[in-house]
Amino acid sequence: MPLASGSSGSSPAKNRLSLATRIGRPLRWLVRIACARPALTVVLALALAAVSLVYTLTTITFSTSTRSLLPPGRPYVERYTQYEREFGDLDSIAIVVEAPSLTEATVYATRLVRRLHASGVPLKRISYRIDPKLFEGRGLLYLPKERLGKIREAIFDYQEFMEAFAARPTLDQLADGMATQIANAFVANFIDLGLSDGKGAADLKFVQDLVAQIGSRLDRPAPYRSPFGTLFAVEGTDSPGAGYFLSEDQRLLFILAEPETERGSFTGDQRAIEGVRAVIASLKRDFPEVQVGVTGKPALQNDEMVAAFHDSQRATIIAFALTLGLLLVAFLRVGKPLLMLLVLAASLCWSIGVATLVIGHLSLFSVMFISIVIGIGIDYGIYFLFRYEEELFLGRSLREAIEITAARSGPGMLLGAVTAAGTFYVLWLTDFRGVRELGFIAGTALMFAWFAMMTVFPAMLVMVDRRHATRPAGAIPRALALERIHVPFVSQLVAYPKTLALLAVALTVVSAWGLRYVQFDYNLLNLQGVGTESVIWEKRILATAGRSGFTALASAESLDELQRKQAAFRALGSVSEVDSVLLLIPDEQLEKLKIIEDFAPLVTSVRIGRPTSVNLPRLIAALEVLKRRFTIAANEAPAGDTQATLRLVAEDISRLIIKLRQADPQVSEPILTLLQNQVYRDFVRSFQRLQSNLAPRPIVLDDVPKEFRTKFVSEGGRFLLQIHPAVDIWDRAGAERFISELRSVDPEVTGTPVITYEAMHLMERAYQQGTVYAIVLVTIVTALTLRRVRETALALLPLGLGLMWAFGLMYFFGLKFTMGNVFGLPLILGAAAEYGLNIVMRFMEGRDHGGPLIARSTMTAVLVNGLTTISGFGSLMVADHRGIFGLGLLLTLGTATSLVASLIVLPVLLQTMARRAPAPPVPPFGPDPHPLEPAARGLDC
């Protein structure tokens, strides 16, 4: 930063820049010490970098849990940790199977689980089905009490028909029974046993379906459809979906797997998840129409961590490459830019070593710090090198140039570093641990970068620039040299101040218009990369099953409390289902047993007869009676849709009778005998299943399979409830509703949705606090440094304009604020303040001591620094992770707009202000009796 001191300076200037003066002197001595034995300085720096790197690689761990980023002592976090100790892993990998049919889905699931066990995928446990044979004979206990009561009433009312059909299970007997019961809607009640609210419609549908099935069999072979519907209401072990974990509509089958997590790894579940996906891929050829996806918290977390780690590595390489390219273009040489990058790399090694020592781990937040720091940390080397070469250009010797640079530009570099690092360090004052850790690591890295550029880099310059050890003969006269380091571009802009002001105002107006449409997207799924498998399937579960793969958690100390809480949670509108050990322990068992005891004797005594061949004349006679009953019913029904429907049914039966009479008996009888045998086997299987469930034993906790009991009952007897949301918990409104309703039942509810909801609140507050703290810090540092209100306002102008323009342009770039990019605001503040501070300080130095008001070296340094910062930030835009991409885009926009304001708007305002102010006296230029004397004699800085 610019600095002048000595008797030639005016008193106001001396007082005004006293802070910079006091900083410049110790910096001069720091550089002198580092350059006294340059080789030793470089060796020590590189050795320390090597030790730090080795220590980091052998010690650092990676924190992948959101809970570890939250403040300690939060009750919902402590309860979750307690549940983990008592019940094991609470979040499983969810393998979701979607097949053309339920049967194919179950076959695939069985095959996949067998292959996973055989392939040695690191999974602790795989669950996808509860064997229904464990509860054989007790299926009626799982029916709702109301449904069981309706079964009882139907059996009481239609016992005679049931016994008659069982004794002679033929098509004509079924038609006779329907004809007998049609007047009192017996047929429909027999079929669904009164479970349908629209009984009349169900009666008609049953008759229509049966008549249509007999008629279609006479025309062509057709698949069998059971006429009994939900007659016996007991699902058997041979049912296609019996015991499997299915969505309510049975479109999705779920396989839950608990991974063997590698503790301390950045992707602790990656081996398990990638192993599962490899096995799924190997089955694709055998099941081409089956769609399978891997999701759940471990998969979502793993995919995000893998993407972030990969993006971080790629962004770091790109940031270094772009920075090197810019330095090569700026300095038109290779050696010194490479040395500058080497020094920066060494400082990054120091910082990661300190981070390992103090914090001990990296998280999703802090892993990106290298890409962020590269663009900012290199700034201090650029400022130093530009000013150093300017001093050489003015005729200084090697050590003069280095020490004058340290004394005059060093304070500005230090204040810029303190400002930038301070915008990170203030994040330590927030509550969210992840943001605090990022603030500490990135702030420390920036201070180390500044320190390395003030010590190691000058030492390297001494080693490589020995040809400049003495002052060159025939140096360019100072007046000519100063003239050559002016910036013609700025001089041309100053000629059109009104035009420039109008353009700035126009851009501000456009930005203000776009600012109205800036939105905040709270959906964390939208931060992950496009096409991420776990995100796609999480959204598919939400759309198909109306629920999320993430569950809230609650507990109960007794079965009675468990039943009360489960009933209360299920009654909430935001809850789709509640899982607990009660899934296998039915409620109201004593009342249900009483109902079963009422009708069991009537069903137990029924004996089913042997099958016979179809008696075609008897079938036709029975259908004739059935037709007459429908004709009578149609004639007696009032005019309207009901009468028309009854007449259509009578006409259908009449056409079937005609078809039966016209058919060749030798052809029709075998066909209808096959249908009758299918009806018989269907009836036998269903009725015997009902009979086998008439004497159930009550189901108690000991009857629950051990694997299932371990998941929901702790060794201490605590019961776990998993509460599935019926709303989109990734939407802020949905999450707020879900959490608030759960807490109305149990204030101590926890689980991933609760932790994520609270974490987002803490993150949001942390970013707000961090931004406010950064603004206050930047303003205070700038004011203390410049000691003038007008100059302070001008130095902060790029900050204000840059943020305003960046926020407005977000709309045009389709960028929203997210939980992944909003913490970039303090970073923009630090960079923007640094640009304005450097330009204004150099302006004040030139105004007070006769140098150029807008010096080429300062402007070029700010330009190159801005471009390298944009390169560092912009490298994040190569990320597949949309949160990281959004962060890179926001930082790039903010830095670019701040740079434009600093290089165009601010210099024109400064030059305009200088024209209106009286010119200060310029001290004469004299010989230099001491290498540092020019710094005290009014030389240009």
Side-chain angles (χ1 to χ4, degrees):
M1 295 315 312
L3 172 65
S5 61
S7 57
S8 60
S10 64
S11 179
K14 181 177 180 180
N15 293 334
R16 200 163 53 235
L17 296 179
S18 60
L19 177 62
T21 303
R22 288 196 296 269
I23 294 174
R25 290 171 180 169
L27 291 181
R28 179 186 64 194
W29 288 103
L30 175 66
V31 170
R32 180 176 293 177
I33 292 171
C35 295
R37 302 186 65 179
L40 179 61
T41 300
V42 173
V43 169
L44 288 176
L46 296 179
L48 182 58
V51 171
S52 299
L53 187 61
V54 172
Y55 172 67
T56 297
L57 294 176
T58 56
T59 308
I60 199 166
T61 59
F62 297 93
S63 177
T64 60
S65 172
T66 304
R67 288 175 289 143
S68 65
L69 303 179
L70 297 174
R74 300 284 168 165
Y76 50 85
V77 175
E78 293 181 347
R79 280 192 295 274
Y80 188 93
T81 304
Q82 180 183 357
Y83 290 166
E84 263 194 336
R85 289 195 301 266
E86 294 185 14
F87 301 100
D89 289 338
L90 299 172
D91 298 294
S92 300
I93 299 170
I95 306 171
V96 190
V97 180
E98 186 175 28
S101 67
L102 179 57
T103 301
E104 187 171 2
T106 58
V107 171
Y108 179 90
T110 304
R111 180 90 167 271
L112 175 62
V113 171
R114 192 184 313 122
R115 185 72 66 85
L116 288 173
H117 284 304
S119 301
V121 178
L123 300 172
K124 297 178 185 177
R125 189 183 301 114
I126 304 175
S127 305
Y128 71 107
R129 189 189 187 207
I130 299 173
D131 189 355
K133 292 182 179 179
L134 296 173
F135 302 95
E136 213 163 22
R138 294 184 275 186
L140 289 175
L141 294 177
Y142 288 97
L143 297 179
K145 187 174 68 173
E146 294 75 15
R147 184 172 182 180
L148 206 54
K150 291 181 179 181
I151 292 176
R152 175 181 60 185
E153 298 304 319
I155 290 177
F156 284 166
D157 292 340
Y158 309 119
Q159 178 186 2
E160 183 180 349
F161 174 78
M162 182 176 59
E163 291 176 347
F165 183 75
R168 196 169 66 84
T170 61
L171 291 178
D172 60 273
Q173 180 60 48
L174 186 59
D176 280 336
M178 288 190 294
T180 302
Q181 302 298 328
I182 197 64
N184 56 9
F186 172 80
V187 174
N189 289 331
F190 167 64
I191 296 164
D192 63 18
L193 298 183
L195 298 180
S196 173
D197 292 331
K199 294 181 179 179
D203 294 345
L204 294 176
K205 185 177 186 304
F206 172 79
V207 175
Q208 288 174 318
D209 288 347
L210 187 62
V211 169
Q213 190 164 188
I214 295 174
S216 64
R217 287 295 182 95
L218 294 174
D219 295 332
R220 70 187 69 83
Y224 171 72
R225 299 189 305 274
S226 174
F228 302 112
T230 59
L231 168 61
F232 307 114
V234 183
E235 187 177 88
T237 58
D238 56 347
S239 174
Y244 289 93
F245 301 163
L246 302 170
S247 61
E248 189 172 350
D249 59 2
Q250 296 192 342
R251 290 174 57 188
L252 302 178
L253 185 151
F254 299 97
I255 302 171
L256 305 180
E258 294 183 14
E260 294 182 358
T261 303
E262 298 177 19
R263 302 296 176 186
S265 170
F266 201 64
T267 52
D269 298 326
Q270 185 176 11
R271 284 186 59 239
I273 293 169
E274 295 304 323
V276 170
R277 286 172 172 161
V279 173
I280 291 172
S282 69
L283 293 176
K284 186 63 178 177
R285 179 180 298 177
D286 297 337
F287 298 89
E289 296 184 357
V290 177
Q291 298 185 56
V292 189
V294 180
T295 186
K297 180 181 176 181
L300 283 164
Q301 191 170 271
N302 171 81
D303 289 349
E304 184 170 36
M305 292 297 175
V306 170
F309 198 68
H310 177 263
D311 292 338
S312 174
Q313 293 176 318
R314 186 167 52 174
T316 299
I317 295 173
I318 292 175
F320 267 110
L322 290 176
T323 301
L324 176 60
L326 285 170
L327 294 178
L328 294 178
V329 171
F331 293 100
L332 298 178
R333 71 198 72 177
V334 176
K336 291 177 182 176
L338 283 177
L339 292 179
M340 194 186 304
L341 279 180
L342 176 62
V343 172
L344 178 63
S347 71
L348 290 175
C349 291
W350 302 347
S351 61
I352 193 64
V354 170
T356 305
L357 179 65
V358 176
I359 297 177
H361 62 259
L362 291 178
S363 67
L364 179 62
F365 289 86
S366 56
V367 74
M368 304 302 300
F369 87 95
I370 293 180
S371 300
I372 294 174
V373 168
I374 288 175
I376 303 177
I378 200 69
D379 291 0
Y380 314 121
I382 294 173
Y383 280 125
F384 194 98
L385 185 56
F386 267 114
R387 185 58 184 269
Y388 162 76
E389 295 202 335
E390 178 183 324
E391 295 302 329
L392 291 179
F393 174 75
L394 291 173
R396 318 294 190 204
S397 66
L398 173 62
R399 292 190 177 273
E400 286 177 348
I402 287 177
E403 294 187 13
I404 291 175
T405 298
R408 295 186 175 182
S409 289
M413 292 166 54
L414 176 58
L415 292 171
V418 169
T419 302
T423 58
F424 283 102
Y425 279 134
V426 293
L427 297 177
W428 190 260
L429 302 177
T430 65
D431 295 328
F432 193 71
R433 186 183 298 179
V435 176
R436 294 176 64 187
E437 291 174 356
L438 170 65
F440 174 80
I441 294 174
T444 302
L446 287 178
M447 292 309 300
F448 277 151
W450 170 85
F451 182 77
M453 295 303 176
M454 288 297 296
T455 55
V456 183
F457 188 50
M460 287 185 172
L461 291 177
V462 170
M463 295 174 64
V464 299
D465 264 356
R466 296 186 182 279
R467 67 183 185 281
H468 297 296
T470 58
R471 181 189 295 270
I476 300 175
R478 184 170 182 273
L480 295 178
L482 292 177
E483 183 63 30
R484 290 174 58 179
I485 60 175
H486 282 144
V487 185
F489 174 69
V490 174
S491 301
Q492 295 173 6
L493 288 177
V494 173
Y496 306 96
K498 294 182 180 179
T499 302
L500 188 64
L502 287 175
L503 290 176
V505 170
L507 182 57
T508 304
V509 171
V510 171
S511 299
W513 181 84
L515 192 62
R516 300 184 305 163
Y517 301 97
V518 175
Q519 299 176 336
F520 203 115
D521 185 359
Y522 290 93
N523 193 327
L524 298 181
L525 292 180
N526 293 337
L527 298 183
Q528 298 222 33
V530 177
T532 301
E533 177 184 345
S534 55
V535 175
I536 291 173
W537 281 93
E538 169 67 12
K539 291 183 176 180
R540 184 174 294 189
I541 293 172
L542 285 170
T544 303
R547 59 194 285 179
S548 171
F550 292 79
T551 60
L553 304 173
S555 64
E557 300 299 329
S558 65
L559 274 174
D560 289 340
E561 183 185 0
L562 177 64
Q563 291 170 345
R564 289 195 303 270
K565 281 191 174 182
Q566 180 155 313
F569 282 131
R570 279 180 171 171
L572 299 176
S574 61
V575 174
S576 65
E577 186 54 85
V578 181
D579 292 342
S580 72
V581 73
L582 294 181
L583 286 173
L584 300 182
I585 302 179
D587 58 354
E588 302 179 307
Q589 293 191 63
L590 293 179
E591 293 88 341
K592 292 177 181 178
L593 287 170
K594 178 62 174 63
I595 295 173
I596 295 171
E597 289 172 0
D598 290 343
F599 66 79
L602 302 181
V603 178
T604 303
S605 61
V606 174
R607 295 292 178 266
I608 302 176
R610 304 292 297 175
T612 61
S613 299
V614 166
N615 188 323
L616 206 56
R618 292 186 67 169
L619 177 59
I620 293 173
L623 290 172
E624 287 280 8
V625 175
L626 184 62
K627 184 195 76 170
R628 287 196 297 272
R629 293 293 175 88
F630 271 97
T631 302
I632 293 171
N635 292 335
E636 294 181 354
D641 293 340
T642 301
Q643 185 183 67
T645 303
L646 290 171
R647 285 178 177 170
L648 287 175
V649 174
E651 292 172 3
D652 290 341
I653 298 173
S654 179
R655 283 191 292 270
L656 177 60
I657 293 172
I658 295 172
K659 185 180 293 186
L660 286 171
R661 285 174 174 164
Q662 292 176 350
D664 183 356
Q666 293 184 349
V667 176
S668 60
E669 285 184 1
I671 293 174
L672 295 180
T673 297
L674 174 62
L675 175 60
Q676 181 175 274
N677 288 337
Q678 289 175 323
V679 173
Y680 168 78
R681 288 192 296 270
D682 183 17
F683 180 81
V684 169
R685 182 174 59 253
S686 300
F687 195 79
Q688 288 181 346
R689 184 183 303 149
L690 175 62
Q691 289 179 320
S692 66
N693 283 271
L694 295 177
R697 292 181 294 105
I699 300 171
V700 297
L701 188 58
D702 290 340
D703 294 322
V704 178
K706 180 180 179 181
E707 181 179 346
F708 196 83
R709 189 167 62 248
T710 303
K711 184 177 181 64
F712 289 104
V713 185
S714 70
E715 293 182 358
R718 189 195 301 267
F719 297 93
L720 181 70
L721 297 94
Q722 293 182 335
I723 309 154
H724 296 269
V727 294
D728 185 0
I729 59 172
W730 301 105
D731 176 72
R732 186 179 182 88
E736 286 181 347
R737 179 189 172 193
F738 183 58
I739 303 304
S740 62
E741 289 189 3
L742 293 185
R743 286 175 170 168
S744 69
V745 174
D746 184 357
E748 296 184 346
V749 71
T750 184
T752 299
V754 178
I755 293 174
T756 302
Y757 174 77
E758 295 293 346
M760 289 178 64
H761 271 288
L762 289 172
M763 289 168 62
E764 189 175 16
R765 187 169 66 182
Y767 299 149
Q768 292 171 349
Q769 292 173 340
T771 301
V772 172
Y773 295 157
I775 291 174
V776 172
L777 175 69
V778 166
T779 303
I780 291 175
V781 170
T782 304
L784 290 177
T785 302
L786 300 180
R787 305 291 184 91
R788 294 288 294 271
V789 174
R790 183 174 58 178
E791 280 75 3
T792 298
L794 287 171
L796 294 175
L797 179 67
L799 185 153
L801 288 179
L803 285 180
M804 179 69 178
W805 295 347
F807 293 164
L809 292 175
M810 288 176 63
Y811 167 74
F812 299 99
F813 282 86
L815 180 63
K816 299 178 181 179
F817 280 118
T818 68
M819 301 308 292
N821 64 25
V822 71
F823 75 90
L825 297 181
L827 281 66
I828 299 175
L829 292 172
E834 180 183 335
Y835 302 149
L837 183 63
N838 275 281
I839 292 175
V840 170
M841 287 191 72
R842 187 62 189 267
F843 167 82
M844 294 172 67
E845 179 184 347
R847 180 189 61 188
D848 295 334
H849 300 286
L853 298 178
I854 307 296
R856 184 191 301 271
S857 65
T858 301
M859 295 292 289
T860 306
V862 169
L863 173 62
V864 176
N865 286 339
L867 294 178
T868 55
T869 302
I870 290 174
S871 299
F873 293 159
S875 67
L876 300 177
M877 295 172 60
V878 303
D880 296 322
H881 189 282
R882 283 182 291 176
I884 297 175
F885 170 85
L887 173 63
L889 179 55
L890 178 62
L891 293 176
T892 300
L893 280 176
T895 305
T897 53
S898 300
L899 190 63
V900 169
S902 299
L903 294 179
I904 297 179
V905 178
L906 179 59
V908 172
L909 291 177
L910 291 174
Q911 289 279 33
T912 303
M913 182 179 71
R915 286 182 176 180
R916 296 176 181 177
V922 179
F925 177 80
D928 302 330
H930 187 275
L932 296 180
E933 188 61 20
R937 296 286 302 273
L939 290 178
D940 172 66
C941 301

